[in-house]
Amino acid sequence: MTIKSKNFRGDINGLRAWAVISVILYHFGIKGFSGGFVGVDVFFVISGFLMVGIIVSGLEKSAKGEGVNSDFSIINFYLSRARRIIPALLVLCVVLMVVGWFFLPSLEYKALGTHTISALGFFSNIQFWREAGYFDAGSHDKLLLHTWSLSVEWQFYLILPLVLLAIWKIRPGRIPLTIMVALGLSLSLLLSIVISPTKPTAAFYLLPTRAWEMLAGGLAFLSAQSLRFSARSQKILEGSGFSLIIASIVLFDAGSNWPGWRALVPVIGTLLVLITARQGSLWSGSRIAQWIGNCSYSLYLWHWPFVVALVYLQRQDQAGAIAIGLALTLVFGWLSYRLIETSSRTCLARKPQWVGAGALLAAILLVSLPSLLVRLQEGVPGRLPGHIEAVFKEADNKSHRIPECFVSDKYSIPECTYGGDQLGVIVIGDSHAGALISSVEKALPSRDLNVLDWTMAACPTILGIKKAGDSNYRCDEFLKQVLIQHRALPSNVPMLIINRTAVYVEGSNDPDKIHEVAVPIFYINASKQSRTREFFQEMRAGIIETACEFAKIRPVYIVRSTPELKIDVPKTMGRALMLGEQREVSISIEEYRQRNAFVWETQDIMAERCGVKILDPLPYLCLDGRCKGDLDGLPIYYDDNHLNERGGSLLIPMFRQVFEGTAKPIGTIEKL
């Protein structure tokens, strides 16, 4: 059964098919769909077109006194949207919470509970914005990540009728509405273009930088009456529109700054298709396109959990597994459309308004309350076998003072200390330093001494360091501030410099190479388009000069980089155990040395130039030519490159060298 109004437009239904297929194939990693995420932008434009159309048509009918109840009802508008969106979303959340009980470790199950609440409350876009970027590798573990777009649309639905109705009350007619929609579009687009390069995650997830896409659809509706095209022009414009959408799907990728100005390409393409309104077109009128368009919402809901399942099963690169995932998406999407989406809309539409609203609210509470309990109970530990739970728990085996003491983008420094009342050592660096502070504390020769925490996220100890496209990057200000403060501290107190230096110089080293880019993200004097000899010389000079500046006053020790294992150790080991397998995560020392050769050489020069001493973690973390991610079957990392408390404890003997005076004055690349 398909619910269609007398004004049903097959071109829009077919356009939905293009949008959902591009998103699905992108998420499943199908080649040629690197920019398939633009399908969401297409959906946004369609939503704006339809919602403005519904509201304006309702207001015009009210003005003419048409219908039994001629007043446009905002409540009816909201309930209509709720009947369309909520039932299928509720069922998805219930299924995921039930499946998660049996297969997700405590940390991930707690996160699922949180995400379920945010999805059903339609603020998941805000929740995910606070957690990580959409294109980050960690996002592939979030079963409800795709609900961010539903939240953006729902927030738009809440605000749009209120604004349009207020304008209509002041001055009825399409012209005032068109002016206000155009103004809102312009402001939102400008905000998106300005913010996307500097705050890409906020620009991607939040309504203010996405509203312009929906308002563009609304403007198309308001302008459609004045537009007339010949049959030939319609074909040309429609073909041009689909060409722009296809170009976006093929040419853009996860590295494209999004949305910003680039999103104009698929948005304009969608607008061209909408304003031509060709019915029965080869582009959108086929039976397959219409079927997919009918099921598009349910297909969108169900595809992402299957993508996450492939990642969980470590089958995301296997063609057979991908084919099964796509097939399951079609089956579950069709079942959801037929059994839930269509039937619930029909049933709820027949009920009195208050009954339908009460039923939806009760269902939301019925799912949200258990999800809240899961969150409050920290994911309900003990559901999985003990040895598996122990592996997963190592992901949370880190200092819980990190949120309190770790400088993010704040100007002030928390000045956290670990230990006694007297300053014993200063630790400066990025998140790798923050991960090891408690181990440094345990190496102190006296309980009266403490560790002073001067660590900042993604901030290498390089004065003058900048980040391309991020005008709010505060690392250099932070370093200048601590440089001043360190001069006021006793000169006999040593300093430990700990950084993941290779990532700032060489770039990321993810196993799938997705996040590796040729253009350096960090620079000192001027941004570079490639890692030229000049770039390396500039970075080397900055690293050496900064450490030597601190060494003018106090003893400085620099720690060789922790081995980067490329894949998340607790998740990889834990998920393998769930499948009855044992999996070791490791890299060879040779691979480590290739990755860190430039950094080691730089540190050696630094040691010779200003007496900085070298601390090498490899003898404590690597054995028989390999650097492993576990010890006795338990992870020593909390992700792919940060040591957890177990791993950090292995370096306590190394840190004791700082207080025993046994560290090497000059580092050398020895053969282990």
Side-chain angles (χ1 to χ4, degrees):
M1 177 180 178
T2 302
I3 299 176
K4 294 182 180 178
S5 71
K6 62 181 181 180
N7 297 318
F8 177 80
R9 283 183 51 175
D11 61 317
I12 293 179
N13 204 42
L15 192 56
R16 286 195 187 103
W18 279 78
V20 76
I21 288 298
S22 67
V23 171
I24 289 172
L25 296 182
Y26 165 70
H27 283 151
F28 274 101
I30 305 300
K31 290 184 178 180
F33 289 83
S34 62
F37 54 84
V38 305
V40 172
D41 303 83
V42 175
F43 275 127
F44 283 163
V45 179
I46 293 173
S47 291
F49 183 91
L50 295 175
M51 294 309 107
V52 170
I54 290 170
I55 296 167
V56 173
S57 297
L59 291 172
E60 290 175 338
K61 287 179 181 179
S62 296
K64 295 175 183 178
E66 297 178 3
V68 177
N69 184 4
S70 61
D71 290 336
F72 171 72
S73 171
I74 289 180
I75 299 300
N76 284 340
F77 176 83
Y78 290 156
L79 281 177
S80 179
R81 307 285 73 73
R83 289 193 295 266
R84 170 81 168 88
I85 294 173
I86 292 175
L89 177 61
L90 274 168
V91 172
L92 174 70
C93 290
V94 169
V95 170
L96 293 180
M97 289 300 295
V98 171
V99 172
W101 176 273
F102 297 100
F103 294 101
L104 293 182
S106 301
L107 285 174
E108 294 181 38
Y109 198 46
K110 177 185 176 182
L112 178 59
T114 301
H115 297 160
T116 296
I117 295 168
S118 65
L120 295 177
F122 294 103
F123 59 89
S124 62
N125 61 322
I126 298 172
Q127 179 67 37
F128 292 124
W129 161 57
R130 295 172 61 187
E131 292 181 0
Y134 178 80
F135 300 107
D136 293 351
S139 294
H140 282 77
D141 298 324
K142 299 172 182 177
L143 286 159
L144 290 169
L145 177 71
H146 59 320
T147 64
W148 75 270
S149 63
L150 305 182
S151 295
V152 170
E153 287 192 347
W154 187 260
Q155 291 157 18
F156 182 75
Y157 297 161
L158 288 177
I159 298 171
L160 180 68
L162 298 175
V163 174
L164 295 186
L165 183 58
I167 297 169
W168 188 271
K169 293 285 188 183
I170 297 170
R171 187 159 185 174
R174 289 200 176 195
I175 293 177
L177 295 179
T178 302
I179 293 172
M180 293 306 298
V181 168
L183 179 61
L185 187 161
S186 301
L187 292 175
S188 176
L189 175 58
L190 178 62
L191 185 66
S192 179
I193 292 172
V194 170
I195 289 181
S196 291
T198 57
K199 295 184 179 295
T201 303
F204 189 92
Y205 280 124
L206 301 183
L207 176 63
T209 48
R210 287 292 194 167
W212 70 272
E213 297 177 283
M214 288 169 275
L215 291 172
L219 190 61
F221 173 84
L222 292 167
S223 307
Q225 282 188 336
S226 61
L227 299 174
R228 294 291 182 270
F229 304 103
S230 66
R232 176 180 169 78
S233 297
Q234 282 185 312
K235 288 183 179 181
I236 292 173
L237 290 173
E238 183 196 38
S240 300
F242 276 108
S243 297
L244 288 174
I245 294 171
I246 293 169
S248 302
I249 294 170
V250 174
L251 299 177
F252 293 125
D253 57 31
S256 303
N257 188 264
W258 204 265
W261 65 266
R262 292 173 178 83
L264 283 166
V265 181
V267 167
I268 292 173
T270 306
L271 292 175
L272 290 175
V273 176
L274 291 174
I275 62 175
T276 54
R278 289 192 70 224
Q279 304 305 302
S281 164
L282 290 174
W283 290 101
S284 60
S286 68
R287 294 182 68 179
I288 293 177
Q290 291 301 303
W291 182 86
I292 293 173
N294 289 335
C295 302
S296 59
Y297 174 56
S298 285
L299 289 171
Y300 180 78
L301 281 182
W302 283 97
H303 87 282
W304 180 251
F306 290 119
V307 172
V308 176
L310 291 184
V311 174
Y312 190 97
L313 297 171
Q314 301 170 20
R315 303 289 189 272
Q316 68 270 27
D317 298 321
Q318 298 181 9
I322 292 172
I324 293 172
L326 289 170
L328 289 172
T329 295
L330 291 174
V331 171
F332 276 73
W334 177 74
L335 290 173
S336 173
Y337 172 71
R338 287 297 300 272
L339 302 180
I340 303 164
E341 190 181 338
T342 303
S343 59
S344 63
R345 286 167 66 189
T346 303
C347 179
L348 290 169
R350 292 172 179 168
K351 302 291 183 184
Q353 191 179 82
W354 67 271
V355 173
L360 288 172
L361 181 60
I364 290 173
L365 292 175
L366 193 62
V367 179
S368 297
L369 290 177
S371 301
L372 178 60
L373 289 175
V374 167
R375 172 182 166 80
L376 295 176
Q377 294 181 19
E378 300 295 326
V380 195
R383 294 170 293 103
L384 303 181
H387 68 291
I388 298 177
E389 190 78 48
V391 169
F392 281 118
K393 277 185 176 180
E394 289 301 325
D396 198 38
N397 187 13
K398 52 189 173 183
S399 172
H400 293 288
R401 292 188 68 190
I402 288 177
E404 167 199 355
C405 301
F406 203 41
V407 179
S408 182
D409 57 357
K410 302 186 293 291
Y411 287 97
S412 60
I413 303 172
E415 295 285 351
C416 287
T417 58
Y418 295 70
D421 297 327
Q422 301 176 29
L423 181 60
V425 65
I426 303 166
V427 173
I428 186 172
D430 57 13
S431 58
H432 275 216
L436 294 174
I437 282 185
S438 59
S439 297
V440 177
E441 178 195 355
K442 293 171 186 175
L444 290 168
S446 169
R447 292 185 179 180
D448 296 330
L449 300 177
N450 64 44
V451 182
L452 176 58
D453 181 350
W454 280 350
T455 58
M456 179 176 181
C459 179
T461 312
I462 307 173
L463 285 166
I465 194 72
K466 301 174 184 67
K467 189 176 181 181
D470 189 353
S471 59
N472 295 316
Y473 186 58
R474 307 300 184 196
C475 181
D476 185 45
E477 293 178 35
F478 167 76
L479 292 173
K480 288 176 179 176
Q481 191 174 345
V482 299
L483 186 63
I484 294 171
Q485 291 179 220
H486 107 105
R487 291 170 179 153
L489 298 176
S491 61
N492 63 328
V493 174
M495 171 180 284
L496 271 167
I497 299 176
I498 307 172
N499 288 293
R500 185 187 178 188
T501 310
V503 79
Y504 306 106
V505 179
E506 306 288 351
S508 178
N509 66 332
D510 300 280
D512 55 10
K513 308 295 182 183
I514 288 177
H515 297 288
E516 293 191 24
V517 292
V519 179
I521 297 175
F522 297 90
Y523 64 95
I524 297 177
N525 295 324
S527 60
K528 306 293 191 298
Q529 294 304 306
S530 63
R531 291 181 175 84
T532 61
R533 182 177 180 181
E534 179 187 0
F535 166 77
F536 284 108
Q537 289 176 339
E538 186 177 288
M539 293 296 283
R540 171 166 285 170
I543 294 168
I544 293 172
E545 289 170 9
T546 304
C548 289
E549 184 65 31
F550 284 110
K552 289 179 180 178
I553 293 179
R554 68 185 66 259
V556 172
Y557 296 78
I558 193 152
V559 180
R560 305 285 204 197
S561 297
T562 300
E564 303 160 288
L565 301 190
K566 298 186 178 183
I567 57 177
D568 191 293
V569 179
K571 285 180 182 177
T572 302
M573 293 180 62
R575 290 173 180 178
L577 288 173
M578 290 285 291
L579 301 174
E581 303 171 359
Q582 296 278 348
R583 182 165 179 188
E584 177 188 280
V585 181
S586 66
I587 62 168
S588 68
I589 289 180
E590 180 182 358
E591 183 178 356
Y592 171 91
R593 294 196 188 284
Q594 289 176 352
R595 166 81 170 162
N596 290 275
F598 172 83
V599 176
W600 276 42
E601 184 178 339
T602 301
Q603 291 170 345
D604 290 344
I605 295 171
M606 178 196 309
E608 293 177 350
R609 184 169 301 178
C610 54
V612 172
K613 297 181 175 63
I614 305 293
L615 297 175
D616 184 3
L618 263 61
Y620 306 91
L621 301 175
C622 308
L623 183 66
D624 298 328
R626 298 200 69 80
C627 303
K628 294 177 57 178
D630 72 284
L631 178 66
D632 298 329
L634 287 176
I636 59 174
Y637 286 74
Y638 67 73
D639 55 14
D640 64 307
N641 63 88
H642 293 87
L643 290 172
N644 60 19
E645 293 293 277
R646 292 186 78 250
S649 67
L650 299 176
L651 301 184
I652 293 174
M654 180 189 76
F655 290 128
R656 284 183 180 142
Q657 297 177 34
V658 173
F659 311 104
E660 297 169 355
T662 58
K664 299 173 187 175
I666 298 178
T668 56
I669 304 179
E670 306 150 335
K671 185 175 180 180
L672 296 181

